[in-house]
Structures are given as C-alpha cells and as structure tokens.
Amino acid sequence: MTNSQSILIVDDSAIIQQTTKLILLKAKFEAQRIYCASNAQDAVKLCQRNLFDIIFIDFNLGLGSTGLQLLERLHFNKLITHNPLIFIVTADDSGSILMGFSEYQPTDYLIKPFRLETLTARINYHLNKRIFDDAVFNTYHSKGWFGVQRFLENHSYCDKYWSGVTTLAKRLLINNDIDKFDDIEMMLEDILQQNEYVPAQLLLAQLLLTQNKFEQLTPLLTSINSSSSKQHLSLLDSKARSAIKQNRISMGYEFWLAAHKLSRNNLYRLFGLIWIEFCLQHDTEIERHIREACATLRYSIWDKPQNYAFLVWVQLHLSAKKNVSVEKLWGIINQQQKITKHDRAYLYLLQAYQATETQSNLVAYRDFMTAVSSIEAIEQHEVSSEFLIIGLSVAIRLSMHTYIVKFSQLLTDKFNQQPYEPHNVIKQIWLKAQTAKINESKSAEYKYALQLVKQKQFLTAGKVILSLWPLYRFDITLARCIVELYARGHLDLYITDKNTVIEARWVFETQDLKPNWYLTLKSKHAVLNKPLY
C-alpha cells in the first residue's frame, strides 16, 4: 500500500538526500510527494508553499542556518502549526545538540546512518499516534471536551489517554485562542487528578504563565518533579519567566542561567541574561554571554540590525571594548558581510554614543540626528525598542531634553503593549532608572525665556537661555534664539559660553538643507562664518 504523505528532506548533501529518498521509496512513499532542500532558505520557501506531513531536518546544513535555526524559524513563522512529524537527523547525538532541538519539541531523532527498518518503524509509530491525536482533535472541534472524554473512555487512566489529551491541549494552546483557555485548563486538570503527568503539568504551567495567574502557577512549578533533562529545561525556563514577570529579577536570572547551562542555543534566554547582567552589573558572566550571542546570532531569527546594535552597545560599556571602533565590533557579529542602509542607521547611533565617551558633542549630535532621520525613513512608525534605548542613552549624555522625553514616552508606550513580557519587564527597570534623570523643573523657565525673546527683552532672555542650554542642549528653538542673539550682539558671553554658541550653530550647520533664515543671517553677520572647530 502506498503512503500518501508529503515529505520534505532538508540536507546540504545531495547524496544524503537521494539515499533518504530511496529509503522512503522502499517504504512505499510516493516519489512525486517527496521534496528536497539543500539549505534553510529553500526549506522555508517550500514550507510557505506546501503543508508537509513529514519533515526531515539535518543539523549541519553547511553555510547559512543550521538545522536548529531552521526549526526555530519554522516555529516562529508559524509554518508548522499544522503539526507535521519532524525528525531531526544528525551524526552528532551529543546532549547539547539534542537539548537545543528539544526546546521546539520535534517528533523524534534519527542518528546517522539509519536503516530502512529503523526509519519505517519510527515513521509508522508516529503516524499511528498522529492519526489517533487527529481523531481526538477533530472530535473536540465537532463535539467539545465532553465528546473527547466519551471518545477516550476506553483509554482512561493510561498513557495513551494522558498523551492524547496533552497533545490536544498543546495544539489548542499553540493557536493562542483565548476562548479555548478554560477548556485547556479543564482537560489538563482532568489528567492531573489521575496522575502527576509531567508533560501535562508543564503545559498547564505554560497556560497559567500566559494568563499571569501567579497564585496558581507558583505552587504548581514548585510541585513539578521532573527527572528528564528536556522537561527540567522547560521547568527552569517557566520558573525564570514567572519570577521575572513578578519583578523577582535575580531569582529569574538564576533559573535562566541554569537553563542556559543545559542548552546554550536559545537566544531569547541569552539576550535576557545579558539584559539582566547589564542592568544589575553581573560583570563576571556578561562578557562570556556576549561572545556566545555574537557567535550564534548570524542566520537565526534574531539576525536583525537592532540585535547587533544592542550587543555592540553593551560592549561599549566594557572597559576592554569601549575604544574599539563600532564598525569593527559590528563586523565581528555579521562576519564581515556588507553593511546595509538599515545597518548604517544603527551604526550612526552607536558612533554617536561612542563620541559622547570622549565628550565629542558636536560629532555625537551630528551622528545622532543622521541616525534618527535614517531610521524614521526605514522603520517609520515601528522603530525598535533597541534603537530608542540607545538613542535615549545618547540624548541623556547630550542633555537633549526634547529627545529624552520623546524616546522615554515611545518606550513606555511600546512596553505597555506587553507589560508582562519578560524582556519588557527587564527593560522597564532600566527605563525607570533613566527617566529618574529627567528634570522637568526647568520647563517653566524655558517658556519664560521664549516669552522674553518675544517681548524683545534680548539681554535678559540671553542670560536665561544660556543657563538653560546645558539641560536643553541642541534644542532647535533655543539654538535659533542663541544664534540670532549672538549675531546681533545681544549675548554677554563668558569663555565657557562660547561652546554653547558653537553647539547652537552646529544644529543648523549639520543640516543638508540649511534654513533660509540662517543663510540670510550668515550673509549679514561675519561672526557666523567663523570656523566651528
């Protein structure tokens, strides 16, 4: 009898592809329904066009993404929500490799070389299980939870019942349908009344974590007694996320650190560790974790400019790296690939930050404004939190009050969209520490200074504006006032105030299209044509 399942083989070796295909043909699978991909990119394209019943993924795919990064991409792009059988094929059965894959719950593992009998037995076992699980799933959609219970009444109090119901709950939870949450909790509680089935306990913990039901979640996590490394990893990760969501950051850090030692391939967890270490000054671990993130980032779903920028920015805080050029640090992460226009916006921002380290305020301002205009053209209304965070740091160092307030508000709004998301919880702690530096007490004085200018009380206005400049540095309104008052001789300048005039002029000198009023003023007053540096 011919097997009608559609199959995808992902392996960079044409010989392995053909060998696997021949084994599948001997197992009576249809040749026209077997597809092959040599790399992750081709595999993703095929999965976007087809719903495969079975997928074989080799760990080592040569250049580009690994098999683990491919599985991660398929998972996060929701290309495998239809529940295909996923077999991980590898010649390396080390714990670190298998543990990395386990976080995405593949169906099974095949160690090279494998035989026809082994492959056939594994596929048949899992196909039969999926037929049973699909029947449970379809029964739920046609007859509800009580219909499922009647369907499974001959399997009650046995592994098949527990596995079938847990698989149903998992498939419902993956779709994140809030209306199904009560049913999911009910079916998992039904299992746990019969047996302390660890997969059901972990799934219930995931559901409670999604709903932030900490009163139920905390005792459940404490009670789970997981013996397998795979389940222990999931338990540690849930404990970490629960602790962080409740602002117990140090506790969450310890759980995440323990999970990271089991599996070092999860970049979400690794970035979380780096964020906590950066905020809480865990200097002993942060350099190692940065190296791991830099080595793992390329070709993953985290392979984005904002994540490169974050890693470079954190490194600029380390004494050993703060004087290394931004482009060099960036090149180490992206493996010297061509820098894109999108990358360049972040590079300008990082260069602005680095310039503030040496008090090169004019250079910092120029690069900062270039970065802001570039990113707004590229990311438009969805500017990343990483850009805003680094930008806020630059604005604080330059005392650019307008941008400090603007970026702080944008970050607050962004974090409020998912306030309990663990990374956002950590970032909010950082943001709170930064916004404590915002000084609103001078806002009335700012308005008073502009009123004085309007009333043509230029000498008094000049004194007030010069006193405000260290807080509102590079503010375009104050900069215009300073330039005009200076050109017309209304400023009583001390030696220290000369830098203020230079910075105010720099606001307009750095613009590609200089304002007409500024060009007119320069043509009338030679003092504005003096070199800035």
Side-chain angles (χ1 to χ4, degrees), residues 313-375:
W313 179 61
V314 174
Q315 289 181 82
L316 292 177
H317 289 80
L318 306 177
S319 57
K321 298 289 179 68
K322 65 170 52 181
N323 294 321
V324 180
S325 78
V326 165
E327 290 207 12
K328 182 176 181 180
L329 293 172
W330 190 281
I332 292 171
I333 303 173
N334 84 338
Q335 300 170 21
Q336 304 302 327
Q337 299 298 308
K338 183 179 179 181
I339 292 175
T340 67
K341 186 177 180 181
H342 199 181
D343 296 343
R344 184 62 65 185
Y346 284 92
L347 284 165
Y348 276 123
L349 188 64
L350 291 164
Q351 287 165 354
Y353 182 85
Q354 193 171 49
T356 64
E357 286 282 324
T358 57
Q359 306 299 312
S360 303
N361 292 342
L362 299 184
V363 174
Y365 173 77
R366 180 197 63 200
D367 289 346
F368 174 82
M369 295 306 296
T370 303
V372 170
S373 61
S374 298
I375 206 68

Side-chain angles (χ1 to χ4, degrees), residues 198-212:
V198 173
Q201 288 179 310
L202 291 171
L203 197 61
L204 179 57
Q206 185 181 337
L207 173 65
L208 296 175
L209 188 60
T210 301
Q211 299 173 292
N212 300 318

Side-chain angles (χ1 to χ4, degrees), residues 94-145:
S94 62
S96 60
I97 297 296
L98 301 184
M99 193 61 67
F101 279 107
S102 75
E103 300 212 51
Y104 302 101
Q105 302 180 358
T107 305
D108 208 342
Y109 301 90
L110 294 170
I111 308 302
K112 296 180 183 179
F114 50 83
R115 299 162 58 87
L116 171 62
E117 296 80 7
T118 302
L119 181 62
T120 304
R122 296 280 187 88
I123 290 176
N124 287 338
Y125 170 80
H126 290 295
L127 281 176
N128 289 332
K129 184 178 184 303
R130 191 174 69 176
I131 290 170
F132 178 79
D133 291 338
D134 285 347
V136 173
F137 186 74
N138 294 330
T139 300
Y140 172 79
H141 279 289
S142 61
K143 299 179 180 179
W145 167 233

Side-chain angles (χ1 to χ4, degrees), residues 26-255:
K26 288 181 181 179
K28 305 300 183 182
F29 287 94
E30 298 176 8
Q32 67 270 24
R33 294 178 65 82
I34 301 175
Y35 297 75
C36 295
S38 300
N39 55 61
Q41 185 177 7
D42 290 345
V44 169
K45 289 178 181 177
L46 285 169
C47 287
Q48 288 171 335
R49 296 196 296 264
N50 305 276
L51 292 178
F52 292 104
D53 299 298
I54 305 172
I55 303 176
F56 295 91
I57 300 177
D58 183 35
F59 170 69
N60 189 353
L61 296 177
L63 294 175
S65 298
T66 64
L68 175 56
Q69 289 172 329
L70 168 60
L71 183 56
E72 180 186 42
R73 193 173 297 279
L74 295 176
H75 175 82
F76 280 94
N77 290 350
K78 300 188 183 302
L79 295 174
I80 50 176
T81 54
H82 60 291
N83 201 37
L85 302 183
I86 297 178
F87 292 90
I88 304 304
V89 182
T90 178
D92 184 354
D93 61 349
S94 62
S96 60
I97 297 296
L98 301 184
M99 193 61 67
F101 279 107
S102 75
E103 300 212 51
Y104 302 101
Q105 302 180 358
T107 305
D108 208 342
Y109 301 90
L110 294 170
I111 308 302
K112 296 180 183 179
F114 50 83
R115 299 162 58 87
L116 171 62
E117 296 80 7
T118 302
L119 181 62
T120 304
R122 296 280 187 88
I123 290 176
N124 287 338
Y125 170 80
H126 290 295
L127 281 176
N128 289 332
K129 184 178 184 303
R130 191 174 69 176
I131 290 170
F132 178 79
D133 291 338
D134 285 347
V136 173
F137 186 74
N138 294 330
T139 300
Y140 172 79
H141 279 289
S142 61
K143 299 179 180 179
W145 167 233
F146 293 109
V148 170
Q149 288 179 305
R150 287 193 293 273
F151 177 80
L152 292 173
E153 60 186 8
N154 294 328
H155 305 285
S156 186
Y157 301 96
C158 73
D159 287 348
K160 194 170 186 179
Y161 175 85
W162 301 330
S163 175
V165 174
T166 302
T167 301
L168 169 61
K170 186 186 300 180
R171 289 175 71 173
L172 294 173
L173 187 56
I174 286 173
N175 293 326
N176 200 31
D177 186 346
I178 296 175
D179 294 336
K180 305 296 184 188
F181 282 1
D182 287 343
D183 275 5
I184 297 171
E185 186 170 348
M186 188 188 307
M187 56 184 72
L188 292 173
E189 291 285 4
D190 183 77
I191 296 174
L192 297 177
Q193 286 175 5
Q194 304 170 30
N195 184 278
E196 292 182 351
Y197 186 55
V198 173
Q201 288 179 310
L202 291 171
L203 197 61
L204 179 57
Q206 185 181 337
L207 173 65
L208 296 175
L209 188 60
T210 301
Q211 299 173 292
N212 300 318
K213 293 183 176 179
F214 301 117
E215 288 187 7
Q216 295 170 254
L217 176 62
T218 301
L220 174 63
L221 291 174
T222 304
S223 68
I224 298 175
N225 183 17
S226 175
S227 56
S228 79
S229 297
K230 172 185 172 182
Q231 292 169 345
H232 186 54
L233 176 61
S234 178
L235 178 59
L236 286 170
D237 195 69
S238 294
K239 285 183 175 181
R241 290 171 186 254
S242 175
I244 291 169
K245 281 187 169 191
Q246 297 176 77
N247 271 307
R248 299 171 182 171
I249 308 300
S250 294
M251 181 186 295
Y253 175 81
E254 294 302 326
F255 285 130

